[in-house]
Amino acid sequence: MMRGNDKSKELSRRASRRIPGGVNSPVRAWSAVGGTPIFIESASGARLVDADGNSFVDYVGSYGPAILGHAHPQVAAALGEQARKGLGYGATIELEVELAEKIGTAIAAAEKVRLVSSGTEAAMTAIRIARAATGRTKIIKFDGCYHGHSDGLLVRAGSGGMTLAIPNSAGVPQAVAAMTSVARFNSLESVGGCFEANPDGVAAVIVEPVAANMGVVVPMPGFLKELAAAARRYGALLICDEVITGFRLCHGSIAEKYGVAPDLLVLGKVIGGGMPIGAVAGRADLLDLLAPAGPVYQAGTLSGNPLSVRAGLETLGLLSVPGTYERLDTLGARLGNGLADALKRSGVPGCVNRVGSLATMFLGPNAVCEADDARRSDTARFATYFHQMLERGIYLPPSQFEAMFVSLAHSEADIDQTVEAANQALGALAAA
Ligand SMILES: *Cc1c(COP(=O)(O)O)cnc(C)c1O
């Protein structure tokens, strides 16, 4: 069975003429795996259909938002209804209050919430609040973590930056980049080093509590708690970036599940139910630094957009059904264990990292605890694996350094089909 891709090829040529690199976000390009990206025509549940009519089991899930699967009927109906009431008014609506309340009920640390239009904005705003609150300028981030594309956070950044080997973006002034120190995930020693270099100068440390932008990397026992303690010791704030993990790994904050109380939280993706959104949340005294309550300026024409907020509320409502996160974990475990077995059977070196419905199979290293481990992956081999899977109807993120996202719409049969495809693909790799 050969997959037709004439239409995707034609669209790709057209896109490249008018859109830089042919994409509106670099992670959508197939730079790391080669070939012509498929153009999506539609999606429903766990499946995508491309412009040439091919169907795939989807593990990109819009890079996180599609936790219910695509085009959930209840979310789609709510959006239709909301659209007929107007797309935005430049004034506050009840649904914004409801979403802030819902987030605040689920997350103890989210005493107050400011909605924005993207995770990038939310992370940028969290940093600005932290600097205003502490009167300090330095921030600490982790190699391989991604917090959106604002200047100060594009230092040793994960996601597309890692995939394309441009972790430090051109166009970011050296003076701005110099305000960011980089620690190694899971290394308290490197965190201590960053603090000791500026004992009175660090405004905040920002971390993905479960890292998912260098592939999935799990925090070692005690790492997050010790990190929080170090931040407190040095008078810095702890910002947990839960744009991916928030409401994906539990009904709220995974940092809180690990026993950590962040000063500020960054949310996005799932809380918008597939529509553009971001949120900065946290201690009331910190959030009240934001204008008009306080002196930290932040604004947005489409912040708290009615469609985003409505889709988010519907999604969080559906996720609050008991058993939801157990179901996601069961599906994630079936996938993670199946992939680990497939690796072992094939003899191809590598490992699988998984938490709940997030998983990455690294080809090469036998353990990945931080970005340098991830970088030891055999990306050429991953590219071959990616195309082997695609030919078997499985759509993976086109990078070794992204998570696979499982949704509630995936069935056991979908997972088993995926594992069987991986067995064949890895078998082919081992033989090559
Ligand atoms: C996706 C992501 C962001 C950026 O969110 P956008 O909505 O793409 O701007 C920030 N932090 C993390 C952890 C993310 O995964």
Side-chain angles (χ1 to χ4, degrees):
M1 174 200 71
M2 255 327 265
R3 179 175 61 88
N5 72 344
D6 291 349
K7 193 82 209 287
S8 281
K9 274 189 173 151
E10 181 201 322
L11 288 170
S12 201
R13 275 192 296 272
R14 262 176 69 197
S16 297
R17 277 198 289 272
R18 286 290 180 189
I19 302 174
V23 290
N24 282 317
S25 186
V27 299
R28 299 175 195 171
W30 285 15
S31 324
V33 294
T36 306
I38 55 170
F39 276 64
I40 309 302
E41 178 66 26
S42 67
S44 176
R47 287 187 182 263
L48 299 172
V49 176
D50 75 6
D52 293 279
N54 305 295
S55 171
F56 302 91
V57 181
D58 177 33
Y59 288 99
V60 175
S62 190
Y63 286 101
I67 193 165
L68 301 173
H70 296 282
H72 191 285
Q74 195 170 318
V75 178
L79 281 172
E81 186 189 282
Q82 196 62 45
R84 285 188 289 276
K85 295 184 183 175
L87 302 179
Y89 322 102
T92 305
I93 62 173
E94 185 176 356
L95 295 176
E96 296 172 69
V97 184
E98 259 182 57
L99 185 55
E101 287 171 347
K102 206 158 215 163
I103 291 169
T105 305
I107 302 177
E111 294 173 354
K112 286 204 169 177
V113 181
R114 167 70 54 96
L115 296 177
V116 295
S117 297
S118 68
T120 293
E121 279 177 80
M124 188 178 84
T125 303
I127 298 289
R128 188 173 297 153
I129 292 172
R131 285 179 169 148
T134 59
R136 299 169 167 192
T137 54
K138 298 267 183 191
I139 59 175
I140 298 175
K141 78 175 282 293
F142 290 88
D143 188 7
C145 282
Y146 178 69
H147 308 291
H149 63 91
S150 70
D151 283 354
L153 292 170
L154 273 186
V155 180
R156 305 292 285 172
S159 189
M162 192 146 161
T163 301
L164 299 170
I166 31 180
N168 305 311
S169 173
V172 173
Q174 179 49 36
V176 175
M179 292 175 203
T180 306
S181 312
V182 179
R184 298 204 325 274
F185 199 77
N186 277 323
S187 167
L188 290 165
E189 197 188 324
S190 76
V191 170
C194 288
F195 274 119
E196 273 310 306
N198 294 285
D200 304 311
V202 179
V205 48
I206 184 166
V207 66
E208 295 178 67
V210 171
N213 281 293
M214 48 177 135
V216 174
V217 180
V218 186
M220 286 174 177
F223 172 67
L224 294 171
K225 275 192 169 171
E226 289 299 320
L227 177 64
R232 204 169 316 114
R233 226 170 20 252
Y234 287 94
L237 300 183
L238 176 67
I239 304 173
C240 285
D241 182 345
E242 300 219 30
V243 172
I244 284 184
T245 55
F247 293 92
R248 168 162 285 277
L249 300 180
C250 62
H251 198 78
S253 152
I254 193 65
E256 287 188 350
K257 275 272 189 299
Y258 281 110
V260 166
D263 298 293
L264 292 166
L265 274 148
V266 185
L267 297 166
K269 296 189 173 133
V270 167
I271 65 159
M275 296 292 294
I277 205 162
V280 53
R283 278 166 38 196
D285 63 311
L286 294 173
L287 269 288
D288 281 337
L289 291 173
L290 286 174
V296 177
Y297 200 73
Q298 183 281 325
T301 302
L302 294 179
S303 291
N305 175 260
L307 293 183
S308 298
V309 170
R310 184 73 192 269
L313 279 168
E314 291 296 332
T315 299
L316 296 191
L318 288 160
L319 290 174
S320 68
V321 172
T324 293
Y325 292 93
E326 290 79 359
R327 172 72 185 153
L328 284 165
D329 190 59
T330 300
L331 290 169
R334 196 177 181 102
L335 178 68
N337 296 339
L339 292 176
D341 287 348
L343 260 185
K344 200 176 296 166
R345 192 165 316 147
S346 70
V348 172
C351 62
V352 176
N353 283 357
R354 179 193 72 89
V355 179
S357 56
L358 297 171
T360 298
M361 182 166 78
F362 292 98
L363 296 180
N366 53 25
V368 174
C369 304
E370 56 143 318
D372 278 342
D373 297 335
R375 286 191 193 95
R376 278 192 281 277
S377 300
D378 185 340
T379 52
R381 212 162 200 197
F382 178 84
T384 307
Y385 170 73
F386 169 86
H387 284 286
Q388 290 273 349
M389 293 296 276
L390 193 72
E391 291 310 316
R392 291 171 174 80
I394 311 297
Y395 184 64
L396 301 175
S399 166
Q400 173 69 90
F401 307 116
E402 300 284 356
M404 296 172 76
F405 294 89
V406 177
S407 78
L408 287 166
H410 285 81
S411 65
E412 270 83 359
D414 292 328
I415 305 283
D416 294 348
Q417 181 193 337
T418 306
V419 169
E420 178 49 31
N423 268 302
Q424 294 175 14
L426 291 169
L429 277 191

